[in-house]
Amino acid sequence: MRTGKSDIFGWLVRPADRRLWTVLAVVLAASALRTARAAGDGGMDNAIVVRAARSWLAGGDPYDDPHFLYFPSAVLAAAPQALLPGAVLRVLVPCAVTALLVLGWAAALRLHRVPLGSRFAALGLLGLAAGFAPFGHLVRLGNWTVTAAAALPLALLLASRGRWTAAGAVIGAAVALKPLLAPVLLLFLFAGRWRALAAAVLIPACASGAAALLLPDPAGFLTRTLPFLLHGDDGFVRLYEASPAAVLPRLGVPLSLARALGVLAAGAGVLCAYRRWRRSDPGPLRLAETGAGLMLSAFLVSRPSYDHYLLVVLPLLLAGLPYAGSVARRPWFWIALVPQLPGLGWPWLETDRRRAFRDAFTLCALAVTVARRGVAGSAVPVTAGERPAPAPSPAAPF
């Protein structure tokens, strides 16, 4: 590992001093404590799941609330929160969300072989917390998207070490809480890792099936939530969605055409992710960029699709900055993040109900940047089930 003074990455991987860690701790604590003071229920989105659990504990049906969009297993997972006082939840939830975001960043760093005590580790997380608005949004909302933000880099880290079945179990557990990481199943399919795929499918299926038997309406997710996701019209929620199918109609594009464009873009993204996987170059970028490509493709077509979903992929891509040729070294990666700078006003887009246009720009720009990386270079065929080429030594990226 080069650590010469002229090498910026050599400087970044040196240990961070105590002052930098102190600043980071203050920023993270301020974000969590601000939410604890402002939100009495631990965040609006977490409150939806907690209310569903309380309804079930009282003998009601959690799917009576159309905004409860989770599998039945999430009801049981939220039950412990439903038993806690509100004063505890308002502090516990933002702290837990922050801790999971830190865990996701740490896993992304280890995937890319970056020391956890380095300046890059501290500065990168500081940049996410203070310079990327969806980070604060996710903490304030307490949305369970944070489980996916922690699980995806952790699963890819396990896969990079050859522990594919464990990676599948991590993805399966995350899907049981919130089905956001379902597109990652395609990664196991690309790699021919059938045990990992089985674990990722069976864990949420069994957990949800068992939990559904305890609900008043075991088929509530299939009969009410799924149709709402596919065809529901929630005018308030749609104002915050960033997918083309939600944003383009607000610009006058017919809804059917907007949906078709979203599907085409998502399909192209999946093909680019597949090509990225087939180009079996050594190192962690293959796993990170394939996984990020699959998730971004899904966000282009999924309903809903919010700004904080970007935290599922952004740490993975940012942690690859030390590697030559990584997505994070491309100008459009940074241009895509400009609309997410906190406090930066945009003419005609200042209100919260119009920020979806900024989120859509970031989502589409990131998706195109990752897709272009997927088709760059020549593809090297990989036989199904074949292990990736050995990764370079930790010194190689620097």
Side-chain angles (χ1 to χ4, degrees), residues 230-377:
L230 296 176
H231 306 293
D233 185 9
D234 190 321
F236 174 76
V237 172
R238 183 161 295 179
L239 293 173
Y240 300 92
E241 294 185 27
S243 65
V247 171
L248 290 178
R250 297 176 65 181
L251 298 175
V253 178
L255 179 60
S256 57
L257 178 58
R259 288 175 175 172
L261 291 174
V263 170
L264 288 174
V270 170
L271 289 176
C272 291
Y274 177 68
R275 287 199 59 181
R276 179 65 185 94
W277 178 256
R278 297 284 291 179
R279 196 172 72 251
S280 55
D281 48 315
L285 292 182
R286 183 191 186 202
L287 277 167
E289 292 172 358
T290 302
L294 290 172
M295 293 306 304
L296 287 168
S297 300
F299 297 159
L300 289 173
V301 73
S302 66
R303 304 295 306 276
S305 183
Y306 301 124
D307 65 333
H308 51 76
Y309 286 10
L310 296 171
L311 282 164
V312 177
V313 299
L314 185 60
L316 274 174
L317 299 175
L318 180 62
L321 181 65
Y323 287 79
S326 68
V327 169
R329 289 199 180 189
R330 300 190 174 217
W332 270 101
F333 173 83
W334 298 99
I335 294 173
L337 303 183
V338 171
Q340 305 302 328
L341 292 173
L344 182 61
W346 296 88
W348 301 286
L349 300 178
E350 296 95 339
T351 65
D352 287 342
R353 294 191 174 191
R354 289 188 174 181
R355 71 160 294 114
F357 295 105
R358 291 182 278 159
D359 301 335
F361 173 82
T362 299
L363 170 60
C364 293
L366 280 179
V368 171
T369 303
V370 174
R372 290 186 61 186
R373 166 68 176 161
V375 298

Side-chain angles (χ1 to χ4, degrees), residues 85-144:
V88 175
L89 281 181
R90 69 186 303 169
V91 176
L92 178 63
V93 173
C95 291
V97 171
T98 302
L100 286 173
L101 288 171
V102 172
L103 174 62
W105 174 242
L109 290 172
R110 295 311 302 143
L111 170 65
H112 291 91
R113 300 168 179 82
V114 177
L116 294 182
S118 65
R119 291 167 175 159
F120 182 66
L123 290 172
L125 185 54
L126 183 60
L128 287 171
F132 188 61
F135 189 102
H137 297 166
L138 185 54
V139 174
R140 288 195 294 274
L141 291 171
N143 194 284
W144 285 28

Side-chain angles (χ1 to χ4, degrees), residues 57-69:
L57 291 173
D61 190 342
Y63 290 105
D64 286 341
D65 183 354
H67 292 140
F68 179 68
L69 307 177

Side-chain angles (χ1 to χ4, degrees), residues 128-261:
L128 287 171
F132 188 61
F135 189 102
H137 297 166
L138 185 54
V139 174
R140 288 195 294 274
L141 291 171
N143 194 284
W144 285 28
T145 295
V146 71
T147 59
L152 181 58
L154 179 58
L156 297 182
L157 174 61
L158 291 170
S160 72
R161 297 178 176 180
R163 301 175 62 185
W164 282 87
T165 303
V170 169
I171 296 297
V175 170
L177 295 175
K178 183 171 183 175
L180 193 62
L181 291 183
V184 181
L185 299 181
L186 290 175
L187 175 60
F188 301 133
L189 188 63
F190 294 168
R193 300 291 177 168
W194 309 117
R195 290 183 180 179
L197 180 62
V201 171
L202 290 177
I203 288 176
C206 293
S208 294
L213 297 177
L214 302 176
L215 303 183
D217 181 8
F221 180 84
L222 298 177
T223 59
R224 284 188 277 178
T225 300
L226 195 57
F228 177 83
L229 287 172
L230 296 176
H231 306 293
D233 185 9
D234 190 321
F236 174 76
V237 172
R238 183 161 295 179
L239 293 173
Y240 300 92
E241 294 185 27
S243 65
V247 171
L248 290 178
R250 297 176 65 181
L251 298 175
V253 178
L255 179 60
S256 57
L257 178 58
R259 288 175 175 172
L261 291 174

